Amino acid sequence: MMFVILFSSLFASASLTSAAAVDAGSVAQRLRTELAPHLSRHDLISTEAPPRWSSFNAPHPAVVVNVETESDVAITVKYCTSKDIPFLAQNGGSGWATTFDLGPNGVLVNLARLNQVTFNADKTQATIGGGSNISNTIAHSYAAGALIETGNCNCAGTLGAILGGGYGNLMGLYGFGVDNILSLRVVTADGQLRDVTASSYPDLFWGLRGAGPNLGIVTSAVVKSYPATEKDMEAWTGSLVFSPDKLEEVVQAIQDLELQSDMNIFMYFISGGLPANEPAIVTTPFLYKGNVTSGRAAFASLYAIGPETDNTAVIPYNQWNAGGDAFCSFGGRKPSYGAGFQNMVPKTWRETWNEYVEFQKKPTAENSVVLLEAYSLTKARSVDPNSASFPYRNVNFNAVAIPWYNDTSLDSEAQSFGNAARDLWRATDGLAQTSTYINFAHGDEDLQVVYGSSLSKLQSIKHHYDPKDQFRQWFNIN
Ligand SMILES: Cc1cc2nc3c(=O)[nH]c(=O)nc-3n(C[C@H](O)[C@H](O)[C@H](O)COP(=O)(O)OP(=O)(O)OC[C@H]3O[C@@H](n4cnc5c(N)ncnc54)[C@H](O)[C@@H]3O)c2cc1C
Ligand SMILES: *[C@@H]1O[C@H](CO)[C@@H](O)[C@H](O)[C@H]1NC(C)=O
Ligand SMILES: *[C@@H]1O[C@H](CO)[C@@H](O)[C@H](O)[C@H]1NC(C)=O
Ligand SMILES: *[C@@H]1O[C@H](CO)[C@@H](O)[C@H](O)[C@H]1NC(C)=O
């Protein structure tokens, strides 16, 4: 912690934002002079922001610090807090929430170079860098011969997804991402680097696992990993495409499926592709260690409806997410609207489809998506619900409406579509209160909606570790 003490005196001086409007170039110049000499290398300051999944309400930093070590993170946080400069960590850049507000002089702490993934000798623990995206994490774990519970899309930050809860293909077997965290290296608002475990900082350990971005920057995490043979690293998955008239039957089949621990299923409304970009209904069944016979048996009720196309196959672990790569494409406007609910209601989904079809035919909106996720939750619900701040083990299904387009003139229609879909799901959600997975939320929700019953305890932890509200960019707990 030596350098922390040193830097508190080094950086004690005038605030940047208190000065009258400073242009981005001069902010960069100031960081090059004042901050760069203290970093692990002197060329880590840039004005080029790394790409983001959605440009809708994206943060526009004046300066980017391409941190290479955890000390770089600590020193940068210390510097920004001492100068009152707003800052934000970026990992996969997939966060779509509208809560970002860096102002004109903000600093982006680009975590991308903290992408190391290492394993202990028996491969029961992996250490994941704070900037490792999911494809990078899986590439390393596949090469090592081990499985890690990550999200299902290559572009998202591994810890970006996990710190909010962490849904993924292996959660039926191993629980939520947060359930697999053993310890975290965290830079808190005071610029200290802490080893956070259940015993060293029980409150932070609880809070970070559900509300991580509000409490610090995680430079790396030790998570459980599961040694696996080649056979253990296979799944039967792919897509089954249904014609629009089958929607009610598909929805009812998903409602009635008893998902075993090795199963999950998604349903998408997406473009059926060129030339016409007709809207299509695609389901993606997943059976861990499945084959064609066991896969068809596990999802017999969907096969009975009669898919138009069947693109399922046995696929190795490092390819499971490949089907989602189009969904991962960066750029374009994607204000997204999520909701959790308890039951798949055919009428609700027909109405959602009608909203989708209307929006998706607008110019440049053909890639718009509606996504529905259904996981096996028995394992996740066997974990003590008070063990992590992630609040929604009780929620059965999550959906997101993603209007995806280029032209800002579509913004208001996109928002109407997103709101309409979300209202439909909420109206039949079967929940005692509106419950939205923080990583699927839009940004306009009350804090209660994303933090649920964890909110008041999170507020007291936040006030203790971040009294000046430095980590305020992501569903700010205040
Ligand atoms: C295509 C796509 C697929 C997705 N699939 C899944 C999925 O399968 N499962 C799932 O659970 N979610 C999924 N999500 C949602 C995803 O979890 C959120 O978008 C999440 O915020 C992405 O994190 P990121 O690091 O990519 O984004 P960023 O925008 O980089 O980060 C989002 C927020 O998290 C903070 N943050 C990120 N990393 C850290 C860190 N190391 N320490 C502290 N704060 C950090 C950032 O500061 C920011 O406030 C998906 C999203 C997209 C766009
Ligand atoms: C994921 O990270 C790797 C290595 O850090 C990088 O090469 C790759 O471009 C990233 N992929 C995505 C989809 O962001
Ligand atoms: C498919 O998987 C089932 C269940 O694991 C197994 O009994 C069966 O032998 C497998 N079939 C083939 C062709 O591998
Ligand atoms: C939208 O913009 C992206 C680049 O951000 C481009 O690749 C794509 O072709 C554009 N789509 C349309 C329909 O104009």
Side-chain angles (χ1 to χ4, degrees), residues 52-53 89 91-95 130 151-153 156-157 160-161 167 213 216 218 437 439 474:
R52 295 194 63 81
W53 182 73
N91 184 349
S94 296
N152 295 346
C153 274
Y167 285 86
V218 177
Y437 177 36
N439 286 348
W474 188 251

Side-chain angles (χ1 to χ4, degrees), residues 57-119:
N57 208 66
H60 291 290
V63 194
V64 178
V65 184
N66 293 304
V67 293
E68 292 206 340
T69 65
E70 55 183 17
S71 304
D72 289 342
V73 177
I75 290 165
T76 304
V77 167
K78 192 86 201 170
Y79 175 79
C80 290
T81 57
S82 73
K83 307 288 186 194
D84 274 335
I85 302 175
F87 63 93
L88 167 71
Q90 180 165 318
N91 184 349
S94 296
W96 61 61
T98 58
T99 58
F100 298 119
D101 182 9
L102 275 179
N105 300 322
V107 168
L108 190 82
V109 183
N110 179 12
L111 302 175
R113 297 182 190 176
L114 299 180
N115 64 355
Q116 296 78 7
V117 180
T118 57
F119 293 82

Side-chain angles (χ1 to χ4, degrees), residues 338-400:
F341 46 88
Q342 299 306 62
N343 294 296
M344 291 292 284
V345 179
K347 180 168 176 289
T348 297
W349 281 92
R350 175 58 68 187
E351 288 165 5
T352 307
W353 171 261
N354 292 341
E355 295 284 347
Y356 173 75
V357 169
E358 275 310 303
F359 184 78
Q360 191 258 353
K361 64 177 149 193
K362 297 186 190 299
T364 81
E366 65 274 5
N367 291 324
S368 299
V369 180
V370 171
L371 167 62
L372 173 278
E373 303 191 349
Y375 287 103
S376 163
L377 292 157
T378 310
K379 171 69 183 178
R381 287 172 181 165
S382 72
V383 174
D384 174 4
N386 298 318
S387 61
S389 57
F390 170 74
Y392 291 138
R393 290 169 200 276
N394 63 310
V395 171
N396 291 342
F397 299 97
N398 290 286
V400 197

Side-chain angles (χ1 to χ4, degrees), residues 191 206 350 399 460:
W206 178 86
R350 175 58 68 187
S460 68

